[in-house]
Amino acid sequence: MTEGFEDSSELARKAELAELLLHAARRLGETLEPERVYDTFHELLTGVVPHDGVVVSSFDDRDDSITCEYAWVEGNRLDPSSFPPITLNRQGGGMQSRVILSGEPLVVNDVEQVVRQPGGTFYDVDKEGEMRKLPDVKPPGTKAAMMVPVKEEGRVVGVVQLMSDRTQYTLAQLEVFAGLVGQMAAAVRTVRLQKERRRLEAAEAAARAIAAERETAVQVLEAVGDGIFLLGDDGTIRLWNRGAELITNVRASVVGGRPITSVFTTWETLSPQIPVAEAGIAPRSATLPMEVGGSDLWLSISGVQSAAGTVYAFRDLTSERRLEEEKSDFIATVSHELRTPMAAVYGAAQTLLQRGPDLGPDRSRELLEMIVTQASRLSQITEEVLLTGRLDRGEVRVLREPVDVADVTRAAVDAMREQLPEAAAIEVEIEPNVGRAAGDADRIQQVLVNLIDNAVKYGGGQVRVRVEPADGSVRVAVADSGPGIPLADHERIFEKFYRADPHLTTAPHGTGLGLYISRELVRRMSGRLELAPEGAGGATFLVDLPQA
Ligand code: ADP
């Protein structure tokens, strides 16, 4: 029955050990920091295996270094960093090295003997953390030691040493010690994994925050109305925002990575005039005419130096600039146009006043007629300017009623014939069944008078006016046999104050408002006024009015 007794005491011991380890696993599992795990491990050890020192070391097989992670000596917790890392002795000298190499636990109950053997480096540490290399100085106080490897997936990743100055260690104690080391190692691993996971989660959250911030920055960059682009030091475009696309009509996908000169062709000559500020300083901006795709844009532009290159911001001032130009055109044209007839009226009136009685009746009449003609020209200019202003402000009311276009055309031609020299021949051709248009008879006549006047003024020679039906509308074509209008001016002649070749001394007088007013009036009747594509010479203007 002795055997049975032994069995049952062995069973009881095993059960006790299992209970101890279970308790240890629970306690260790509650800890979140690796340092605290070592403390808990040591607390668990105290009371079950007597000892005077505990050292936990990690082993890194990449450089064979053995580093102290935790040290407790004679009631004092020591700073592990005060132990210099030692290198694994592959010859097997030194107890730690032997355990790491074999992966097996070690119990040494004759430490004094062992440290005298050559091949290992032995330190003795007192409770103040004072370290002495052994056995140089004096024999160590340690009598017995147990060393257990810490393993991870079969590889040795550390060693735990337990030292006693008094007792000898038994295999049963080794079993308890090894069990606790196993639990401690598992807890350290879990804590490290958790810590790593928390670190990864924090890194991921930080990355997400940065991405969100970037996303917001991109959205802001896309939302701003200003054009913004980043120019790399090599002169290529790195970023081209939506505002830049809209202003220049050049897509980011087209310019990305291409030289800036592919968009702004005159960049090389103009860029020295663009102020570029250091980062953090608000830059002034310069207003420059930048050529984009063959036309000039007036851009207010400035740059800021950044690590990635120069960031330029620009704003389109073309329409503001055009307004400025229009204003000065207006003043120049109006004063120029008013000056000639006014001088004529003034001169004629002056002559009549000073030399009235001496002038013959024919000369007097001539001067009076000049005053009348020039005064009427003056009032015509004033009318045109005023009408333009009213059109721009949307104050002109245009009727929409059935109009016999043939009648209106005849009336316009008759009115013109009265004013024209005999030589100016106007031919009228009206197709049958042209039908009636919806519009304002007076305004239509005003438009036709202006077109015929231009045809005579600029075209000269034969003028042909033709009324015909054209695809749901009534068309009046006014054609002359003059020099025609260069293609580049086809749209511009309809702009306010625009006059082709106004500086030619031979150019007849005019405000450049006639065609603008005509087109605006026709538009208000839902019609169209256009220049016919270049034909056999001369210019042909087409007025299309919707059928009534
Ligand atoms: P204005 O006659 O007062 O100059 P318009 O707006 O009527 O103003 O015409 C604008 C310009 O268009 C003219 O200055 C002239 O250069 C050009 N133009 C108009 N009609 C003709 C035409 N029939 N032939 C050639 N050029 C023309």
Side-chain angles (χ1 to χ4, degrees):
M1 290 325 283
T2 328
E3 225 181 350
F5 174 73
E6 273 175 15
D7 272 358
S8 65
S9 80
E10 179 63 6
L11 268 177
R13 196 182 65 81
K14 292 259 186 208
E16 213 173 287
L17 179 61
E19 202 176 323
L20 174 77
L21 294 182
L22 190 66
H23 169 68
R26 282 209 196 99
R27 285 279 319 274
L28 290 164
E30 288 162 5
T31 327
L32 286 175
E33 289 299 320
E35 294 71 30
R36 288 285 309 124
V37 173
Y38 296 135
D39 282 331
T40 310
F41 160 73
H42 188 212
E43 275 167 43
L44 291 163
L45 200 61
T46 309
V48 278
V49 185
H51 58 273
D52 298 295
V54 181
V55 176
V56 181
S57 304
S58 61
F59 168 66
D60 188 339
D61 60 6
R62 286 168 304 183
D63 59 358
D64 277 358
S65 63
I66 304 167
T67 312
C68 178
E69 303 287 344
Y70 175 88
W72 178 94
V73 176
E74 291 163 15
N76 284 302
R77 175 103 140 65
L78 307 178
D79 177 5
S81 66
S82 62
F83 293 79
I86 52 176
T87 308
L88 176 77
N89 184 338
R90 288 207 170 265
Q91 271 70 54
M95 293 184 279
Q96 289 199 98
S97 293
R98 244 186 285 160
V99 171
I100 290 169
L101 287 169
S102 68
E104 295 296 329
L106 190 70
V107 181
V108 184
N109 281 323
D110 54 349
V111 174
E112 273 183 65
Q113 297 285 308
V114 174
V115 296
R116 292 221 165 80
Q117 291 165 7
T121 309
F122 300 94
Y123 289 98
D124 183 34
V125 185
D126 67 18
K127 61 181 176 194
E128 275 79 41
E130 199 64 45
M131 242 179 324
R132 284 157 305 151
K133 200 165 175 228
L134 297 179
D136 306 358
V137 189
K138 70 165 212 184
T142 303
K143 301 260 183 308
M146 287 198 282
M147 304 210 172
V148 172
V150 179
K151 290 186 185 173
E152 221 175 88
E153 288 172 351
R155 285 184 316 133
V156 177
V157 295
V159 186
V160 184
Q161 318 175 38
L162 201 64
M163 288 147 287
S164 170
D165 295 349
R166 291 170 280 266
T167 181
Q168 304 258 305
Y169 286 127
T170 63
L171 285 178
Q173 280 172 321
L174 177 66
E175 197 176 359
V176 173
F177 177 49
L180 283 175
V181 167
Q183 296 297 349
M184 181 269 284
V188 167
R189 201 155 55 230
T190 310
V191 166
R192 286 217 178 110
L193 286 175
Q194 277 168 352
K195 224 179 168 180
E196 178 63 8
R197 206 183 63 213
R198 282 200 299 274
R199 195 188 64 77
L200 284 177
E201 277 169 2
E204 208 180 295
R208 265 203 304 273
I210 290 172
E213 211 169 274
R214 287 232 175 105
E215 179 71 5
T216 313
V218 167
Q219 280 167 1
V220 168
L221 212 55
E222 289 306 289
V224 289
D226 287 10
I228 292 170
F229 66 92
L230 171 65
L231 193 63
D233 293 333
D234 58 355
T236 60
I237 299 167
R238 302 275 172 80
L239 181 148
W240 190 255
N241 80 336
R242 183 95 188 101
E245 288 188 330
L246 291 174
I247 295 172
T248 59
N249 213 4
V250 178
R251 311 282 304 170
S253 54
V254 175
V255 289
R258 304 208 33 215
I260 184 67
T261 45
S262 67
V263 182
F264 300 123
T265 36
T266 51
W267 181 264
E268 301 284 342
T269 29
L270 291 180
S271 62
Q273 297 176 47
I274 303 172
V276 176
E278 292 298 317
I281 299 170
R284 289 175 303 111
S285 56
T287 303
L288 299 167
M290 296 288 230
E291 200 184 290
V292 181
S295 55
D296 268 348
L297 286 181
W298 280 91
L299 301 183
S300 161
I301 182 166
S302 61
V304 176
Q305 206 63 54
S306 83
T310 313
V311 179
Y312 287 93
F314 61 95
R315 183 167 292 192
D316 187 8
L317 292 186
T318 313
S319 48
E320 282 87 341
R321 192 80 190 188
R322 200 167 278 159
L323 204 68
E324 285 296 310
E325 278 170 6
E326 267 177 20
K327 273 190 208 153
S328 61
D329 280 359
F330 170 79
I331 294 164
T333 316
V334 171
S335 35
H336 177 258
E337 285 305 306
L338 290 176
R339 199 169 53 192
T340 320
M342 284 228 283
V345 169
Y346 181 76
Q350 191 87 313
T351 314
L352 279 171
L353 201 62
Q354 287 171 357
R355 300 171 42 211
D358 308 336
L359 298 168
D362 287 354
R363 180 66 184 136
S364 297
R365 191 178 167 75
E366 219 173 78
L367 289 173
L368 284 172
E369 270 173 0
M370 183 196 275
I371 291 174
V372 171
T373 321
Q374 295 304 326
S376 113
R377 167 94 194 111
L378 280 175
S379 79
Q380 192 197 330
I381 294 168
T382 322
E383 278 308 312
E384 281 184 349
V385 171
L386 289 175
L387 182 55
T388 302
R390 288 175 54 218
L391 279 166
D392 288 351
R393 291 192 298 274
E395 291 170 6
V396 179
R397 283 186 46 80
V398 173
L399 299 176
R400 296 284 194 93
E401 53 189 20
V403 177
D404 187 327
V405 181
D407 277 357
V408 175
T409 308
R410 279 189 212 101
V413 172
D414 289 345
M416 287 305 295
R417 275 197 183 119
E418 278 174 27
Q419 301 177 21
L420 291 176
E422 293 286 308
I426 308 175
E427 198 181 281
V428 185
E429 200 183 321
I430 294 171
E431 277 201 16
N433 308 322
V434 280
R436 302 205 293 175
D440 187 321
D442 288 346
R443 296 301 189 190
I444 297 172
Q445 183 165 338
Q446 186 180 355
V447 170
L448 295 180
V449 163
N450 178 242
L451 294 179
I452 297 168
D453 186 37
N454 277 353
V456 173
K457 228 165 42 170
Y458 302 106
Q462 184 79 18
V463 176
R464 292 176 315 281
V465 183
R466 189 183 153 80
V467 185
E468 59 193 13
D471 194 24
S473 58
V474 179
R475 167 174 288 180
V476 185
V478 180
D480 62 56
S481 44
I485 292 162
L487 197 62
D489 281 341
H490 273 207
E491 271 308 306
R492 301 211 66 188
I493 53 168
F494 293 101
E495 286 174 13
K496 254 184 273 180
F497 300 112
Y498 185 78
R499 309 200 64 220
D501 279 342
H503 306 299
L504 278 184
T505 44
T506 52
H509 289 298
T511 53
L513 290 174
L515 286 175
Y516 173 76
I517 292 172
S518 298
R519 181 175 257 187
E520 288 301 309
L521 289 176
V522 174
R523 269 193 189 147
R524 280 165 174 71
M525 291 182 256
S526 304
R528 291 192 339 195
L529 168 58
E530 254 145 39
L531 195 54
E534 211 72 1
T540 303
F541 285 88
L542 306 174
V543 184
D544 286 332
L545 295 162
Q547 267 174 352

